[in-house]
Amino acid sequence: QVQLVESGGGSVQAGGSLRLSCAASGSIFSINVMGWYRQAPGKERELVATITSGGSTNYADSVKGRFTISRDDAKNTVYLQMNSLKPEDTAVYYCMMFIFRYYRDYRGNNYWGQGTQVTVSS
């Protein structure tokens, strides 16, 4: 089994910062892509940021320049540093990892965290 556990969410005033963490545990051989998604009430889930095993990153235009995604492969952990937060960043944030669980697992699978609430007030 693979589990992704998120932490770091909370409430912050506009302009503040939060750092989200997501750690994977269980049977893991390697992790290709790690990422963060978010979903606000009444809106579709959207991609926030991704990072590949090679360190290549992608960001949604709405967070570019404010958020930074990083990973620590020794800890099977992905981070999202969120600065200059805005009320429109309020959402439940979900981490995602594409994981190969064992040697000869050539297909891999997507895994998701439980979600963590981020609330930004003005």
Side-chain angles (χ1 to χ4, degrees), residues 15 19 24 27 36 39 43 57 64 82 89 95 104 111 115:
R19 181 177 171 88
S27 179
W36 291 93
Q39 187 167 23
K43 299 185 68 178
T57 60
K64 196 170 298 181
M82 304 183 294
D89 295 319
C95 64
R104 295 193 182 95
Y111 295 87

Side-chain angles (χ1 to χ4, degrees), residues 52-73:
T52 69
S53 59
S56 179
T57 60
N58 283 289
Y59 297 92
D61 288 341
S62 59
V63 308
K64 196 170 298 181
R66 300 187 297 120
F67 292 9
T68 302
I69 188 171
S70 61
R71 61 191 283 168
D72 185 342
D73 289 321

